[in-house]
Amino acid sequence: RIRFEVDATLMSVDNTINDTVYQYIIFNFPHTPHIQGSGNPEEVEISIEANRFLLSAFFFQAKNLLTPDGEIHVTLKDTYTYQNWK
């Protein structure tokens, strides 16, 4: 099954998807709506922290929806902003 428009931070409580376990959960190019490339250092830091939270919450939620041998795949860009999410 392919699901779209899922809140990645609340997957395990979403009744449209939590009734199934998944072999693969894929999250392509995750990001929050914050301005990624603004010249404002404060906005950049807020964006980095928000995206760190997004990924952390996603992994926490996704692990509860996997089969025992399931896999999580996340695709990120290799740019300055994404590199600072570590």
Side-chain angles (χ1 to χ4, degrees), residues 13-29:
V13 295
D14 183 334
N15 292 333
T16 64
I17 64 169
N18 70 2
D19 62 343
T20 306
V21 290
Y22 299 88
Q23 179 69 38
Y24 302 101
I25 298 177
I26 301 168
F27 197 175
N28 288 317
F29 306 110

Side-chain angles (χ1 to χ4, degrees), residues 20-82:
T20 306
V21 290
Y22 299 88
Q23 179 69 38
Y24 302 101
I25 298 177
I26 301 168
F27 197 175
N28 288 317
F29 306 110
H31 63 278
T32 64
H34 291 85
I35 299 171
Q36 303 288 321
S38 82
N40 181 339
E42 186 175 310
E43 181 63 33
V44 171
E45 188 60 33
I46 290 169
S47 174
I48 289 169
E49 290 301 318
N51 284 295
R52 283 179 180 160
F53 171 78
L54 172 64
L55 284 175
S56 177
F58 164 72
F59 285 121
F60 180 81
Q61 296 290 314
K63 71 180 180 182
N64 296 318
L65 299 172
L66 287 173
T67 61
D69 61 340
E71 298 177 10
I72 296 172
H73 296 261
V74 176
T75 306
L76 298 175
K77 290 182 176 182
D78 189 18
T79 63
Y80 171 78
T81 303
Y82 283 83

